[in-house]
Amino acid sequence: MAAAPPDPLPNLHAVLHSRGLVAQCTDERIEDRLAQPVTCYCGFDPTADSLHVGSLVPIMGLAHAQRCGHRPLVLVGGATGLIGDPSFKTDARQMLDETTVRTNAAAIADQIGRFITFGDGPADAALVNNLDWIGPLTWIEVLRDVGSRVSVNRMIGMESVKQRMTGDGAGISYLEFSYMILQAYDFVHLFRVHGCTVQLGGQDQWGNIVMGIELGRKMHDADLAGLTFPLVTKADGTKFGKSESGNVWLDPKRTPVFDFFQFWRNVDDTDVGRYLRFFTFLPVEQIEQLEQAEGAAINEAKVTLAYEITKLVHGTEEADNARDSASRAFSTGGVDVTGESIPSAPIDLTEPVGVIELLKQSGFASSNGEARRLIQGGGVRVGETKVDDIAATVSADDAEQGHVLLRVGKKKLFRFDPA
RNA sequence: GGGUGAAUGCCGGAGCGGCCAAACGGGGCGGACUGUAAAUCCGCUGGCUUACGCCUACGGUGGUUCGAAUCCACCUUCGCCCA
């Protein structure tokens, strides 16, 4: 074993624990294990060409690991993405083709690269794709080397499988059933090739992680461990990570930075402290101070939360932009909302354009009827002026500081830039 | 393979052959109140239309009827029971 690093780094488990990021771990003595630098991994599904905020917890987990001197492996599930994880899903997942999976994997790795450092150093992260080792496997090899060491009795006893086999679920196909074997095999492979001994994952991955550990013991007498992160919940009980417009993505093309910022700015009071711990690197002491705030002062903490996360994901400049735009739009009542982060589109104002048309172009209304209802409900403003006529139009004269700002409700903004 | 039940709008879930764009609940959106919070209250919630109205919609295809989400036949899918 290598000598301890000269500057003792904080213990990963202690760090994660202090931030409420530990749901379960397999090893009572995980702290001892993590006293030495280890190689750990966490998997991400390449189901889209961007991650969304739901993946931030595992990303932060890997980032903390790296900061504690460990070597993170980012596994993109190229192979498992071709199958679909059945864990706690009610339906079979859509399968993707290999080209898509490869493209998505690259995009995802790029996003994760903002949180952790890739390279060749001892604690530098590496990107691995399980398609590279699972792809070449033959059916016979798998059955003989892996299948002989896996108990179906155990598998059907797992909660994630049970749910699909009983009740009113959609049933489970053999394909999906095999998913967990692939994931277990990943762990064993990474142990063999990279000396990886710890797997991190969401709480829903517990069963899969445990399977990998058992398989490692049976195949190589390996001593593996796992740690899961808690499920991110919301005070109102709804699913975390969704906004009116669906998933909140890390890709600014899917979720404009302004909307991203606002997503965090608008979290429930009671969630702020937890989210600060989960999603920022701010010292716990500072977070404790922030969450002391009572009443309206808690908004301070929300701004910090939104700013810090936006900075991590989109960079300082974008974060400044979003924060300033938001504060102008909501606090000072000004209309100087020119920040680049606000969703916007060009417009031709040589002829007056109906407000209904603008509502449709901004995506706030999907039909004339919906746009009309919004106006009739009193929810539409152009700049600071409330629109109360469904036939209202906007012309070049209505542009303020060269822009037309369309507002729906209290929080939704869209900027039109006249050509 | 046999028997049986179901299939409705974003979801759940009602729905005597006409009064059904379809009760009710949830969700979502808008408004009031606030702190860009929560709770509460009010309104809206298929498309086109200023509106009268028209169109599309109750798994699919045909049929009965002046008229069908509601009746019949077949098909598809799912659930349950038996083998």
Side-chain angles (χ1 to χ4, degrees):
Chain A
M1 287 295 120
D7 253 344
L9 291 163
N11 188 283
L12 176 61
H13 181 265
V15 170
L16 294 178
H17 188 73
S18 72
R19 296 187 159 265
L21 276 169
V22 180
Q24 308 179 81
C25 52
T26 52
D27 190 337
E28 291 298 314
R29 301 181 318 283
I30 190 91
E31 293 222 22
D32 298 340
R33 180 189 287 272
L34 293 172
Q36 302 294 325
V38 301
T39 298
C40 58
Y41 96 93
C42 181
F44 296 86
D45 281 322
T47 39
D49 64 1
S50 170
L51 297 169
H52 47 81
V53 292
S55 298
L56 281 174
V57 161
I59 294 177
M60 290 299 285
L62 283 182
H64 281 298
Q66 186 166 53
R67 288 174 169 224
C68 292
H70 305 293
R71 176 166 184 251
L73 299 178
V74 175
L75 179 139
V76 283
T80 38
L82 296 172
I83 292 171
D85 180 2
S87 298
F88 302 100
K89 309 266 193 323
T90 43
D91 303 306
R93 215 166 54 183
Q94 193 189 356
M95 285 184 267
L96 304 164
D97 62 79
E98 184 174 338
T99 325
T100 311
V101 163
R102 293 260 183 212
T103 315
N104 291 348
I108 287 167
D110 188 52
Q111 291 180 334
I112 296 177
R114 289 179 220 145
F115 291 78
I116 59 181
T117 309
F118 287 89
D120 298 323
D124 281 348
L127 177 72
V128 292
N129 185 336
N130 65 6
L131 189 54
D132 294 333
W133 59 84
I134 288 179
L137 285 177
T138 69
W139 183 230
I140 296 292
E141 278 179 295
V142 174
L143 286 180
R144 205 177 46 196
D145 298 342
V146 181
S148 63
R149 293 179 172 88
V150 172
S151 158
V152 170
N153 293 7
R154 288 266 300 129
M155 286 172 74
I156 59 178
M158 306 200 100
E159 196 54 41
S160 57
V161 177
K162 262 197 228 164
Q163 283 185 15
R164 294 286 297 270
M165 296 187 58
T166 60
D168 42 42
I172 184 167
S173 67
Y174 181 70
L175 173 86
E176 295 172 273
F177 188 59
S178 310
Y179 176 90
M180 63 178 88
I181 295 184
L182 295 194
Q183 185 167 329
Y185 186 80
D186 284 343
F187 200 174
V188 175
H189 173 88
L190 292 176
F191 166 72
R192 269 197 307 241
V193 176
H194 298 280
C196 175
T197 53
V198 177
Q199 180 176 180
L200 307 175
Q203 204 166 4
D204 56 344
Q205 295 301 310
W206 181 254
N208 294 334
I209 291 173
V210 169
M211 268 204 75
I213 292 170
E214 287 186 13
L215 187 62
R217 186 169 56 231
K218 287 176 182 163
M219 287 178 73
H220 301 289
D221 199 26
D223 180 24
L224 307 178
L227 182 151
T228 59
F229 306 116
L231 187 68
V232 183
T233 56
K234 294 210 304 182
D236 62 10
T238 57
K239 196 173 189 305
F240 170 78
K242 300 270 190 190
S243 71
E244 312 83 56
S245 34
N247 275 327
V248 178
W249 300 91
L250 303 192
D251 184 342
K253 288 196 285 297
R254 284 172 178 258
T255 299
V257 179
F258 181 79
D259 294 344
F260 184 87
F261 182 91
Q262 285 296 308
F263 169 78
W264 299 103
R265 174 62 184 79
N266 287 315
V267 300
D268 196 288
D269 284 10
T270 52
D271 289 329
V272 179
R274 210 155 34 96
Y275 290 179
L276 279 165
R277 275 172 247 261
F278 282 178
F279 301 113
T280 74
F281 289 111
L282 296 178
V284 174
E285 304 81 63
Q286 188 182 342
I287 293 171
E288 279 166 357
Q289 290 230 306
L290 281 167
E291 65 187 347
Q292 292 297 316
E294 306 233 345
I298 195 76
N299 282 320
E300 195 76 18
K302 293 189 191 178
V303 171
T304 305
L305 174 72
Y307 180 74
E308 288 297 323
I309 303 177
T310 307
K311 194 167 73 176
L312 283 170
V313 174
H314 296 294
T316 306
E317 195 178 325
E318 290 285 349
D320 287 338
N321 250 328
R323 185 182 53 186
D324 295 348
S325 296
S327 99
R328 278 197 226 100
F330 294 109
S331 306
T332 58
V335 289
D336 177 28
V337 192
T338 53
E340 287 302 311
S341 60
I342 291 186
S344 64
I347 190 176
D348 178 12
L349 280 182
T350 49
E351 296 287 321
V353 180
V355 173
I356 287 181
E357 184 57 30
L358 296 183
L359 284 166
K360 286 201 292 184
Q361 284 188 21
S362 63
F364 293 146
S366 55
S367 69
N368 289 344
E370 190 179 348
R372 210 175 291 129
R373 285 193 293 268
L374 272 174
I375 296 173
Q376 284 165 345
V380 179
R381 283 170 293 164
V382 171
E384 291 304 305
T385 316
K386 183 166 160 184
V387 178
D388 42 22
D389 179 7
I390 56 174
T393 59
V394 168
S395 64
D397 299 338
D398 295 309
E400 299 182 53
Q401 294 156 39
H403 304 284
V404 174
L405 188 67
L406 181 69
R407 314 184 63 154
V408 171
K410 289 176 209 146
K411 298 175 189 169
K412 289 190 279 197
L413 312 184
F414 198 93
R415 191 185 70 225
F416 286 101
D417 306 323

